[in-house]
Amino acid sequence: MSSGIGRQIFKRTFTSRPVDGFTGAVGNTPLIYLKTLSEKTGCRILGKAEFQNPGGSVKDRAALGIVLDAEKRGRIKPGGTVVEGTAGNTGIGLAHVCRARGYKCVIFMPNTQSQEKIDLLRMLGAEVYPVPAVAYENPKNYNHQARDFARELDNAIWTDQFDNTANAEAHYRTTGPEIWEQTEGKLDGFVCATGTGGTLAGTGRYLLEKSAGKTQVWLADPPGSVLHSYITSGGKLKERTGSSITEGIGQGRITNNLGTFVNDVSGALHIPDEKSIAMVYEMLDTEGLYLGASSALNVVAAVELAQKLGKGSTVATILCDGAYRYQSRLFSKKWLQAKGLEDAIPGHLKKYAVLD
Ligand SMILES: Cc1ncc(COP(=O)(O)O)c(C=O)c1O
């Protein structure tokens, strides 16, 4: 493997000018050369360090993109309100964006979510409504409540991250071009899991267009999601069964964001939780990277795709967020045991599961 790779990637992501607050600090994340996995496979395995965004995840891009798009279209004016139904990273990203751009942020979430998440959103200045956790079909579902709440207010938007394609557009404008530039167009494959589908669809569309079809774009899927079977069966939507310990990914339908690209996906990889957990620990041990489970799943998928594409291939993926938001689970022996996943940790790495 060329020893110049690490240096080149570092140089290209070094920003010499100050940027403009939170808005300016989103994106331009490093593309990390994952040395041990690359050497093991004889390929270049690269991970985009999205945990370095100021809100701590890849979802900062979608949150900012959606709000900027609403401003451009005149859907929201200074002092307006941004409403979303989310328990996770998008809510955190939106809370930051709203502080930075002078909006009120209102978040609806299922009342099954941890107090830490509620507290964090409130500390970031959001108004949080935990509501009963009922199915999507129920009008009281947190997503519908967010939509209805925004409808009742003047100068307010419901961000609608799943079906508002400003989400995928943000990745088309930023994540895709960054990866293309950071690899100098030498990219055989890109793979990532999807929640809303924004990251895969936007980044994938840019890379496919820019490479004139040469970069293969694959979807990675956890258990409990229908997308792997949808793609491998040529478009049949199955009933959703099973579940995963990963958060923020897996889907039961083709969202508008994913719909902009799903027909151009080259293939799909199903990644069981055992492999994702093992990779959380392996990335910490070999690279010093403390990653959440969706990032670990993406890395497993990048290795599998690189092996499919052959020795010498270059594959990039997304390191969505850090393990900090999940550590009481991912590093707890008891929790992993309860999920039947304790044995997924490689023997020599079990010492890192330090929490009870
Ligand atoms: C941790 C994490 N990983 C991955 C994703 C998936 O990204 P996208 O919604 O762009 O498909 C999300 C989305 O919320 C997430 O929170």
Side-chain angles (χ1 to χ4, degrees), residues 36 40 45 55 74 78 92 107 242 272 302 349:
T36 309
K40 239 190 230 172
I45 312 289
I92 293 166
I107 302 289
L349 302 179

Side-chain angles (χ1 to χ4, degrees), residues 57-59 62 88-90 161 167 171 193-200 247-249 294-295 298 320-321 326:
S57 87
V58 66
K59 300 302 297 198
N89 284 326
T90 308
Q161 58 162 333
N167 170 355
H171 292 283
T194 90
T196 64
T199 310
L200 181 79
E247 294 185 39
I249 55 173
S294 73
S295 310
N298 281 349
C320 313
D321 65 2
Y326 321 102

Side-chain angles (χ1 to χ4, degrees), residues 70-129:
E71 287 177 0
K72 202 171 82 192
R73 291 172 195 274
R75 292 182 59 223
I76 191 162
K77 306 263 181 322
T81 305
V82 174
V83 190
E84 179 59 89
T86 171
N89 284 326
T90 308
I92 293 166
L94 282 170
H96 282 281
V97 172
C98 287
R99 290 303 289 257
R101 301 189 76 79
Y103 299 117
K104 191 172 157 191
C105 183
V106 178
I107 302 289
F108 284 80
M109 57 156 69
N111 60 10
T112 49
Q113 299 297 312
S114 70
Q115 191 60 38
E116 282 104 308
K117 280 186 184 172
I118 298 174
D119 291 344
L120 174 59
L121 286 164
R122 287 185 175 148
M123 282 187 279
L124 295 172
E127 199 173 294
V128 182
Y129 293 103

Side-chain angles (χ1 to χ4, degrees), residues 43 57 69 251 266 310 328 351:
C43 301
S57 87
D69 177 73
Q251 194 39 266
S266 299
S328 62
K351 61 183 182 229

